Amino acid sequence: MEMKQVSDNCFAVLNEKNRVCDANSGLINRGGGVVIDTQSDLPHARQMIEMFSKVWPAMPKRVINTHEDGDHVWGNQLFEGAEIIAHRSVPERMKHVANPEETQKLLHGVADVSTRQALEAVHPGVAAAGLQLLEDYNLDGVELVLPTTLFDTGYELDLDGTEVHLIYVGPCHQVGDTIIHVPRERVVFAGDVLFRQCTPMGWTGTYEKWLRCIDLLVQLNPEVIVAGHGPLCGIEGATEMKAYLQYVRDESKRCFDAELTSLDAAKRIEFGPYGEWRAPARLYMNVERAYREFRNDPHDAPWDTPATFDAIYKVARAKGIEVEY
């Protein structure tokens, strides 16, 4: 992890491995302090707090959760007494998608040789993902702490004269997707509507909504975008991810029309220039998401998570690359 100052009063803590759960966090060091997203486990959250403490005078008065995924909210409990702000959908969604018990069980399971071998026989992708997480994360002690201040389409903060705009853009990556714009500083904290130098994963939403959101990032014309995952960027990061999504959607349509399954399509579609990104086999999720739209499935149709991670595993093996999430 490293901390970077991105403007006069905005800072970011970045997880440099840039794999699953390696989420970024932000700090707006005005008006008592605002932390944006709280990391994937308590050790990382404490490290983030230590880094930010070099520039803030005290624990922040507010926390913003950009959406409901565990890697952005599992450190909430360390901010006792803080106002936690999120879109109205986030608390209920967190109960379903960010319940730490399932991931805690997975990490404990893969740490045990016999349990891991049994899991590998049934769900090799889940076992591989668990082993990768075990390298860096320990979810022991994590308790779900829900947002306390909720909004619908937007929310504004006045931090001693610095305006901060929370803009609801979901569902793109998840239902509660919110971007945080600090106009005076020309900074946007994008959450997981933007992945940088790693393959995006979309759980709930549509390509159309996600592409519109990326267009909004460009229209805001920030000097710096703090992505949910990956290094800092400007609008070039947004335009690059837009090109990726358009490429995958177009290639998926050709495969869909040829009556290939989404898994076979993901094995066939070339990574192209995006093969240099982390976890390129996540391509499967973006292909399957396109297929759901071509089939007119509901945008919030649930995923079979074990089968999804197994499919990513199979794509990586078929393409002869490292299995990575």
Side-chain angles (χ1 to χ4, degrees):
M1 296 172 71
E2 65 172 342
M3 183 178 73
K4 288 191 174 183
Q5 184 169 4
V6 299
S7 68
D8 288 346
N9 297 289
C10 294
F11 299 79
V13 160
L14 311 173
N15 275 288
E16 295 179 271
K17 282 191 178 181
N18 202 10
R19 303 187 300 184
V20 71
C21 277
D22 291 337
N24 298 329
S25 294
L27 168 69
I28 307 170
N29 197 21
R30 297 277 292 174
V34 180
V35 165
I36 298 159
D37 291 335
T38 59
Q39 294 293 309
S40 294
D41 65 6
L42 301 184
H44 281 76
R46 291 188 180 102
Q47 188 176 354
M48 173 198 67
I49 290 169
E50 181 181 354
M51 288 179 168
F52 282 154
S53 70
K54 297 174 183 177
V55 296
W56 72 29
M59 286 293 280
K61 292 183 178 180
R62 298 179 179 91
V63 168
I64 300 171
N65 291 148
T66 60
H67 62 289
E68 62 264 35
D69 281 340
D71 56 336
H72 296 258
V73 305
W74 276 333
N76 282 3
Q77 72 194 73
L78 297 184
F79 295 87
E80 186 175 356
E83 177 186 18
I84 303 178
I85 307 168
H87 182 257
R88 188 166 304 281
S89 64
V90 168
E92 194 62 31
R93 288 283 298 169
M94 280 175 60
K95 296 175 187 177
H96 297 285
V97 305
N99 186 334
E101 293 179 5
E102 184 176 340
T103 307
Q104 289 166 343
K105 182 179 178 180
L106 172 63
L107 295 184
H108 290 156
V110 296
D112 177 80
V113 175
S114 59
T115 304
R116 180 176 71 245
Q117 290 174 341
L119 181 60
E120 287 172 336
V122 181
H123 289 298
V126 177
L131 284 171
Q132 178 183 299
L133 284 172
L134 196 62
E135 294 176 15
D136 298 301
Y137 292 98
N138 180 349
L139 266 67
D140 290 352
V142 171
E143 299 174 359
L144 207 57
V145 174
L146 305 178
T148 52
T149 298
L150 308 178
F151 66 92
D152 293 307
T153 59
Y155 194 80
E156 293 193 4
L157 297 172
D158 183 343
L159 306 179
D160 295 336
T162 296
E163 291 185 359
V164 178
H165 302 160
L166 282 65
I167 306 168
Y168 176 60
V169 294
C172 297
H173 160 81
Q174 271 288 18
V175 175
D177 289 325
T178 297
I179 64 174
I180 295 90
H181 183 213
V182 190
R184 176 184 291 181
E185 312 258 333
R186 296 193 65 195
V187 172
V188 171
F189 296 91
D192 280 3
V193 301
L194 186 66
F195 288 63
R196 180 66 170 147
Q197 295 180 8
C198 61
T199 305
M201 305 171 76
W203 294 101
T204 303
T206 64
Y207 271 86
E208 180 182 1
K209 194 72 175 289
W210 207 340
L211 293 170
R212 286 207 309 268
C213 176
I214 293 174
D215 287 341
L216 174 60
L217 292 178
V218 173
Q219 291 165 15
L220 293 174
N221 195 30
E223 286 188 355
V224 180
I225 303 175
V226 181
H229 296 261
L232 302 173
C233 63
I235 60 174
E236 79 283 351
T239 56
E240 187 176 58
M241 193 175 119
K242 180 178 180 179
Y244 171 81
L245 292 174
Q246 291 173 322
Y247 167 73
V248 173
R249 185 174 60 178
D250 291 346
E251 291 298 306
S252 298
K253 187 62 166 67
R254 293 187 184 95
C255 293
F256 180 82
D257 291 342
E259 299 185 350
L260 295 177
T261 67
S262 57
L263 178 56
D264 287 339
K267 292 177 180 178
R268 176 176 294 191
I269 294 171
E270 297 291 337
F271 291 143
Y274 313 108
E276 299 299 316
W277 291 0
R278 296 305 298 258
R282 292 178 187 168
L283 168 70
Y284 165 76
M285 286 191 67
N286 300 313
V287 174
E288 169 59 20
R289 183 168 177 158
Y291 269 50
R292 290 175 174 216
E293 294 187 20
F294 303 149
R295 296 191 300 256
N296 294 314
D297 293 347
H299 76 271
D300 57 352
W303 290 77
D304 182 334
T305 303
T308 299
F309 279 85
D310 289 347
I312 294 171
Y313 177 93
K314 291 173 183 176
V315 170
R317 295 295 296 269
K319 290 181 175 286
I321 63 171
E322 178 184 0
V323 176
E324 184 178 59
Y325 295 90

